[in-house]
Structure formats: structure tokens, C-alpha cells
Amino acid sequence: MKLKSIVVFCFVAVFAWSCKDDSKAPTEQDTVEVSDEKFDFNVEQFADIKILRYQIPGWDNLSLKEQKLVYYLTQAGLAGRDIMWDQNYRHNLKIRKALENVYANYSGDKSSDDWNAFEVYLKRVWFSNGIHHHYSNDKLKPEFSKDYLNELLLATNTKLDGEAFDVIFNDKDMKKVNQAKGVDNVALSAVNFYGPDVTNEDVIGFYKNKKSPNPEQPLSYGLNSQLVKENGELKERVYKSGGLYGSAIDEIIKWLEKAQGVAENKAQGDALGLLIEYYKSGDLQTWDDYNVAWTAATEGNVDYINSFIEVYNDPLGYRGSYETIVQINDFDMSKKMKVLSDNAQWFEDNSPLMDEHKKKNVVGVTYKVVTVAGEAGDASPSTPIGVNLPNANWIRKEVGSKSVSLGNIINAYNNAGSTGRLKEFVHDEEELQLEEEYGQLADKLHTALHEVIGHASGQLNPGVGETKETLKNYASTLEEGRADLVGLYYLYNPKLQELGLVEDWQKVGKAAYDGYIRNGLMTQLIRLNLGDDVEEAHMRNRQWVSAWVFEKGKADNVIEKVNKDGKTYFNINDYEKLHDLFGQLLRETQRIKSEGDYAAVEALVEGYGVKVDQDVHAEVLERNKQFKSAPYSGFVNPVLVPEMDDNGEITAIKVTQPAGFPEQMLEYSKAYSHLPEVN
């Protein structure tokens, strides 16, 4: 699970691999060296997007062998980059190839408004890994005409016609993921997980008949396949070597095999071996075996996330999007935050959950602050700030999970912004002061509590199916809201001070509550067009959590809606009662999950998380016009450049920064286009 898992016992022999790298570095993009002392986190801004860069502190402290491991893992991740593009929409790769050819070869007037609009559109497509907005799921609207695009195509001898051309401008496939109530979500979602004639009913019926060999350890059916109809019969096209996306997967395997050859220890090497086996076979039992081994492999300086994992892009929550994050342990921060995982059982025992929904033995929760060294797929350019995996409930219960906070990503966000928007939406000077003094710590702790305690807490009732089966299209937002509520409940608790994580638990808690309510009821609305419903899972959960406690606390004026000088604010009057309300809602969300209560989750999300107060929304958008900073941020990746001797041996790996966002995107397309046949 992202903030914006993985197990079985199988022995795999560790193969002996030569340390020699007999392949040339696949990327030679233009790079620049950026001084650590004067590091500029900002790259550029366009539309609603701000592009940032991040550092890799501690790189020089790694051994050459560890640096090779990081390099091979980042190459493996990038090798599968185009899979995410094709998963997002069936025409994405055709469209990207054509637009990039125009961008690289057009020699006409580049000072016109039309060219500027074309350039912005292409950058938005790059950022979203396709033609649908990365967050809202709406199709991106070009601000140039069909005729102008045809001129560009003709001038550069570029071919783009038929449906792939028309869909840029027409009203077809308007939503990548359609989560609306009362419609056929699969049929109305443009995401390329299903064939054109597949419906909600088809999907539910197909997987209802799938029976896991061990019902207590249900397999993740549908995670790594596309479901299509052939001659009226439903059939899965499995992502694997020799199967769907096979050419890219073979490249991933090649680099993973190199990574296995420089693994830090046997446990890490065994896990990589199982991941390679999974990519070769597509077997979901091997996927579980891998995740058990990966979860248990906690030693070493380097770790990674790689494969088809998060299911947010599937309207019914079955299919995983391709993603990868390569991580280096931040030992200092991990040591400070390890106290959370060490006390996971205390948090579970003292939560407001019903006794039957509490885990009696919270196992294997590991928490680390990590330094990101590279990302791809669903994690790039827009990245999470925290991740907890594996996602399977039975694995979390029986084996445990890994939680990571992306420390250098959070640091980049914190150092690239301004305080103008904050000052506009805080109610008073006290709220501003609390946020400026304690806000970053509160955010960091909320991420940690969300990932380490939140996703690992609670258990399903005996006989209740996985949430994708019971809660269906509401499963993701319910799980993210439940984890948020765990964090919120404990952020206003003296236990944090007792554990040495904060010096003043009340001030940190107040800053956290102020920020969450302010964002959930107001500031996140800058990401929506006026009149839109909330559809993204995380945005929905922040709204339904905030709106529920606001309504339930009205009688006691817990949160007051204030109008001051014609502007709306939400001011918390009673933090103790708000803490109790968060606890009540946490208890209810866990009950819903544990019992698989679809009617209750539908009422909660539809009643509080989807519809927006139009007057407040219009006001927020108007107040936000004064700020130039974009509401969304993402990143270019540092470029790892290997230096070789005459025998092809890597002798050193240098960290540089890309010259710019377009330069990195074009080089990625040149070096990592491993899906020659667009499906």
C-alpha cells in the first residue's frame, strides 16, 4: 500500500555470478553535476505540475558492490517502464512515440502559442505515463487543434492516425479509472486491464470461480494479467516471459539476474531468485513465495520494490500496476523510528478496535527510512512518500510487512515549496505557528504510523474474503482511510513522547489535526475542477474522514466552519473530542473491513467522500489563483553513470542529474522501449 504486501517458505540456491558487467550502460543522456551545497530542488513547472529533483545522500558510503546492486536494480526497473504506459491505456505508446518524434524533429516556429500548447501537452503526457491525468484520471485536454497536430505530423513525417489520433480530441475513453456509483466501472474505464467487451459482471463472475489451494492463504488472482474475451470466452493474458509484455519482462529478468549476482546476503539473493522465477512463469504461488522471502530479507543496505503491485488503477481492485523503487537504508533515521515497529503490539492492544478485530500477535513489522536511488512505472514521475508491503492480508498477519518512508523524497518536497498557500488557508496565527514549527514532524510521524501501524493492524473475521471481493471498488479508499485513522488516533497521544519521538505530543498532535482537516475539507480541492466529484482513492479517504468527524462533532462544535472577511476556514475547537471521533471512525472502518460490510462502506464513501461543497470549492479555487506553485509535484531521477575499464568491468558509478525533464523522458524512450509490439 502506498501513502500518497508480500510470503511462503521455499529454498532457492544462490547462483555464483561473475562481477564482470559485459554490457554497456544503456543510457547516455545529457547530465549535469549539481553541487550539494547549492542544490536546487526545482527543475521546471508547467500546467498543474512542478518537476523536482532529489539527491542520494550517503551514496559514497556504499561499497562498489552495493553501488552495482543499486545500479542493476534501477536498470531492471526502467526496463519495464513501458509496461505502465500500456497498462494505463491501449494507445499510449503509439501516441507517445508520435508526439516525441514531432518534439525531436520539428524545425518550424517554436515561438507560437500552438507550439507552446503542444509542448505542455507532451510534458503532461510524460508526467502521467499516458493521456489521462495521473491523479484525477480525467483525459488530458490539448489546447491545440486537430489541424495543428496534423501540420506537425506532416512536417516531421510522423504517422499517427485512426483511433489513436482521434482519441486525443474526442469524448471517448474520458476516464482512465471510473469509480462512479451505479455504473459498469470496468466498461467505462479506459485503463488497459480488460478487453473492450468485458464488464463488471464478467470480472466478478470469473474470479468468483477461482479457488485457492489453501483458502487460508488466498492467491492474488488477476494481479498479473489482462482479462479479455476471445470468441465470447473470458481468458487471462498473463504478464510473463513469453506472455504479455514478455519482451520487456525479459529485460527486467536480465538486470535482476545481474543484481542477484551482487546480492548483499543469501536471503536477499534467494528473494531475487524467486522474483526472477515469478517473472518467467507468471505463477501466483511463486509470487507469494517471493513475498514471504522478500519480507524476511531485512538485512543489508539496499532494498527494492519491483513488479505488479498496487491495484488502485483497477476499478475493481484486482490488477497490479507495474512499479519499482530502489532504496538505500538511512540508518540514522531508521534507528530513530524503529521504536514504532518495536512497539507495534502496544499500539494494536490499545487501539479502539473491537477485541475480535485486534491481532493478538503483530508479527514482522519492519520500518525503515530510506533514500530513494531510482523509480519507474507507477512510482514515477509522481511518487509516494511511504510504502507498506506486502498487500495480502494473510501475509501481513502470519509473516509481517515492510514499511518504508522515502526520506530524501520528503526532504525534497519540504525544501522546494513556499509558505504562501499555507498562510492563506490557516484560520489564525496559532495554527500557522503550529504548522511551521511542528508540521514537518507531524507529517513524518503520520506517514510512519500510517504505514507501520495502520496497514499492519486489524484482522478479518474468519471466513470473510479479501476486501477486493467484499468491498469491491471501495476497498482501496477504505484501507487508506483506515490507515490514516490509525495514525491520527495515535498522533494525539502521550505515548509518542514516552517513546522519545516528540518533545511535546500535544503540539505535534494539534499540528497534525489542523493540517489533516484543512487539507481534507479545503486545500486538496485545488486539484479538482469545479463541479467534479472526488474519485482518487486517497483524496476520497481524506475527505470522508474529515467530513465524517466534522458532521459528528457539530453538536459539540468540535470543528467550527468560520467565515472571516468573506473567507471560509475550519477551526478545531476541541482536540480531545476530535481524537475520540477519530477513534470511533477507526473502530467502524475496521468493523467494515473485518466483516466485509459493502453496504456500510458504500454509505460512508458516497455519503462523505465523493460529493464536494460547491460553494467552498469555488471559493478555494478563487483564493488559490494568487499562487504560482503547482498543486502536483513529481521528480526526475538522478542518473547513475558507470565507469568501465578495458575489460568491461565497472570500476565506479557516478551520480549525476539529468539536464532537464524533456531530456530524461526522451532518453528513457530511446533506451528502454522494450515493447516494440503495441498491444
Side-chain angles (χ1 to χ4, degrees):
M1 298 284 181
K2 295 179 184 176
L3 184 61
K4 62 143 144 119
S5 291
I6 326 182
V7 213
V8 326
F9 303 95
C10 181
F11 176 78
V12 177
V14 178
F15 297 95
W17 292 88
S18 167
C19 289
K20 178 180 178 181
D21 188 330
D22 57 3
S23 62
K24 184 180 179 182
T27 178
E28 298 178 350
Q29 63 181 292
D30 292 335
T31 62
V32 294
E33 294 186 48
V34 181
S35 167
D36 287 347
E37 294 181 4
K38 298 180 179 179
F39 193 86
D40 185 359
F41 291 92
N42 293 284
V43 177
E44 71 165 303
Q45 182 169 307
F46 52 87
D48 58 354
I49 304 297
K50 181 163 59 176
I51 302 294
L52 309 175
R53 59 171 67 90
Y54 60 91
Q55 298 167 290
I56 311 180
W59 177 257
D60 293 335
N61 295 330
L62 297 177
S63 68
L64 178 59
K65 183 181 178 182
E66 289 168 334
Q67 290 181 353
K68 287 181 180 179
L69 177 59
V70 172
Y71 174 68
Y72 295 148
L73 288 170
T74 58
Q75 295 304 311
L78 288 165
R81 172 179 181 258
D82 277 4
I83 295 175
M84 185 67 207
W85 281 78
D86 193 67
Q87 285 183 315
N88 276 341
Y89 184 55
R90 64 189 181 279
H91 293 309
N92 274 339
L93 289 172
K94 288 181 182 178
I95 292 171
R96 188 191 76 193
K97 182 178 179 181
L99 298 184
E100 287 179 341
N101 193 62
V102 168
Y103 185 83
N105 295 293
Y106 183 62
S107 58
D109 182 7
K110 294 185 178 180
S111 62
S112 69
D113 290 342
D114 278 336
W115 176 260
N116 180 64
F118 170 81
E119 193 171 16
V120 169
Y121 180 75
L122 175 55
K123 289 178 180 179
R124 297 184 76 190
V125 170
W126 277 330
F127 189 85
S128 296
N129 295 312
I131 67 168
H132 295 87
H133 194 279
H134 75 287
Y135 210 85
S136 73
N137 289 312
D138 293 331
K139 190 163 68 173
L140 300 171
K141 296 179 181 178
E143 296 186 3
F144 53 85
S145 67
K146 283 185 181 180
D147 290 343
Y148 182 70
L149 181 54
N150 271 319
E151 288 178 25
L152 296 179
L153 295 172
L154 183 63
T156 54
N157 195 29
T158 304
K159 182 179 179 180
L160 182 65
D161 54 19
E163 190 177 53
F165 176 91
D166 293 338
V167 77
I168 295 174
F169 301 96
N170 64 23
D171 293 333
K172 188 174 182 180
D173 297 331
M174 293 298 289
K175 279 281 187 185
K176 183 176 78 174
V177 185
N178 190 319
Q179 293 282 23
K181 177 184 176 182
V183 302
D184 194 314
N185 305 102
V186 169
L188 293 178
S189 294
V191 68
N192 195 24
F193 288 143
Y194 299 100
D197 301 323
V198 178
T199 66
N200 280 14
E201 185 178 354
D202 289 330
V203 178
I204 294 168
F206 185 83
Y207 290 107
K208 187 177 182 180
N209 295 323
K210 296 280 187 182
K211 304 298 181 185
S212 296
N214 182 353
E216 299 301 313
Q217 298 179 355
L219 298 176
S220 300
Y221 287 120
L223 186 69
N224 64 334
S225 67
Q226 182 189 60
L227 187 64
V228 298
K229 277 185 180 178
E230 292 185 1
N231 300 318
E233 184 178 346
L234 289 166
K235 178 182 178 181
E236 287 184 308
R237 303 175 69 201
V238 179
Y239 312 150
K240 65 176 182 175
S241 177
L244 185 56
Y245 303 137
S247 56
I249 288 172
D250 287 341
E251 285 293 318
I252 297 170
I253 291 170
K254 180 185 80 173
W255 289 103
L256 289 178
E257 288 175 340
K258 292 179 182 294
Q260 188 185 28
V262 291
E264 296 177 273
N265 51 62
K266 183 178 183 300
Q268 188 182 72
D270 288 353
L272 281 165
L274 283 166
L275 180 58
I276 292 166
E277 183 183 336
Y278 167 64
Y279 271 128
K280 288 180 177 179
S281 68
D283 180 69
L284 290 171
Q285 183 61 62
T286 305
W287 171 245
D288 280 356
D289 295 349
Y290 158 69
N291 281 295
V292 170
W294 175 84
T295 302
T298 58
E299 300 299 321
N301 294 337
V302 178
D303 207 349
Y304 62 94
I305 294 164
N306 182 300
S307 199
F308 310 104
I309 300 174
E310 303 290 4
V311 297
Y312 302 113
N313 284 324
D314 183 343
L316 296 187
Y318 283 89
R319 318 197 115 66
S321 297
Y322 175 80
E323 73 171 307
T324 177
I325 303 174
V326 183
Q327 315 151 3
I328 302 166
N329 195 17
D330 182 333
F331 288 100
D332 181 54
M333 284 305 302
S334 294
K335 184 177 179 181
K336 291 178 181 176
M337 303 302 287
K338 183 175 179 289
V339 65
L340 287 179
S341 52
D342 288 345
N343 286 272
Q345 191 65 57
W346 182 93
F347 287 105
E348 185 78 349
D349 293 343
N350 289 275
S351 76
L353 307 185
M354 299 178 191
D355 287 342
E356 60 267 32
H357 298 156
K358 294 180 181 180
K359 288 180 179 175
K360 302 302 182 283
N361 182 30
V362 180
V363 296
V365 181
T366 63
Y367 179 73
K368 293 181 179 180
V369 178
V370 299
T371 294
V372 172
E375 300 179 310
D378 199 27
S380 179
S382 178
T383 171
I385 58 174
V387 184
N388 178 276
L389 294 172
N391 281 331
N393 284 301
W394 75 264
I395 295 178
R396 291 176 184 274
K397 180 181 178 181
E398 295 183 18
V399 182
S401 61
K402 285 181 178 178
S403 291
V404 295
S405 177
L406 311 187
N408 59 332
I409 296 295
I410 294 171
N411 181 64
Y413 278 128
N414 289 339
N415 285 281
S418 64
T419 60
R421 188 177 282 119
L422 171 65
K423 292 177 180 177
E424 173 62 36
F425 290 101
V426 294
H427 173 253
D428 51 34
E429 188 64 30
E430 179 186 4
E431 186 178 335
L432 176 63
Q433 188 174 346
L434 280 169
E435 175 62 34
E436 290 182 334
E437 191 168 350
Y438 298 101
Q440 287 193 23
L441 176 58
D443 288 344
K444 187 180 297 184
L445 283 171
H446 191 213
T447 300
L449 288 163
H450 174 111
E451 300 294 350
V452 181
I453 309 301
H455 284 311
S457 72
Q459 61 185 0
L460 301 179
N461 287 359
V464 173
E466 292 291 297
T467 54
K468 66 185 178 186
E469 301 165 355
T470 59
L471 306 183
K472 301 175 184 176
N473 52 310
Y474 299 113
S476 292
T477 191
L478 191 282
E479 176 59 22
E480 292 305 320
R482 192 187 65 85
D484 263 5
L485 284 161
V486 171
L488 291 165
Y489 184 75
Y490 283 116
L491 274 165
Y492 196 73
N493 191 300
K495 184 69 173 180
L496 297 185
Q497 193 163 329
E498 177 188 323
L499 293 174
L501 295 171
V502 300
E503 293 182 358
D504 190 324
W505 66 270
Q506 287 181 309
K507 288 183 177 179
V508 171
K510 286 180 178 180
Y513 283 14
D514 287 340
Y516 197 90
I517 296 300
R518 186 171 60 245
N519 185 42
L521 295 181
M522 282 202 305
T523 55
Q524 73 170 2
L525 298 179
I526 66 175
R527 297 180 167 190
L528 297 177
N529 296 316
L530 188 62
D532 285 354
D533 289 341
V534 183
E535 296 202 36
E536 198 278 333
H538 298 79
M539 282 187 72
R540 277 188 170 186
N541 91 241
R542 288 189 289 265
Q543 178 166 296
W544 62 252
V545 168
S546 301
W548 189 95
V549 294
F550 173 63
E551 180 183 285
K552 300 303 180 184
K554 277 185 177 179
D556 296 321
N557 202 27
V558 175
I559 303 171
E560 183 179 3
K561 184 178 180 181
V562 178
N563 188 288
K564 185 171 63 175
D565 300 326
K567 296 180 179 180
T568 300
Y569 303 90
F570 288 90
N571 186 55
I572 301 172
N573 293 318
D574 194 326
Y575 292 92
E576 291 284 351
K577 287 184 178 179
L578 181 54
H579 169 264
D580 292 343
L581 287 170
F582 283 139
Q584 292 173 34
L585 185 55
L586 171 57
R587 181 184 178 94
E588 172 62 6
T589 55
Q590 183 62 58
R591 184 200 66 77
I592 290 171
K593 179 180 178 180
S594 295
E595 297 178 2
D597 190 341
Y598 181 81
V601 73
E602 181 182 49
L604 178 64
V605 177
E606 294 293 341
Y608 295 96
V610 176
K611 297 300 179 183
V612 176
D613 184 318
Q614 294 300 303
D615 292 336
V616 171
H617 192 186
E619 180 195 320
V620 167
L621 293 176
E622 185 62 33
R623 290 164 67 181
N624 188 62
K625 286 180 180 178
Q626 62 187 294
F627 304 112
K628 296 180 180 179
S629 179
Y632 300 100
S633 296
F635 292 85
V636 290
N637 289 305
V639 183
L640 304 181
V641 182
E643 297 176 0
M644 312 259 192
D645 63 17
D646 293 340
N647 296 318
E649 298 272 4
I650 294 178
T651 57
I653 299 177
K654 187 178 181 181
V655 178
T656 63
Q657 293 289 335
F661 181 56
E663 288 83 355
Q664 181 156 87
M665 294 297 99
L666 290 171
E667 181 55 38
Y668 279 176
S669 292
K670 177 182 175 183
Y672 305 107
S673 288
H674 299 306
L675 292 179
E677 297 298 325
V678 179
N679 295 283

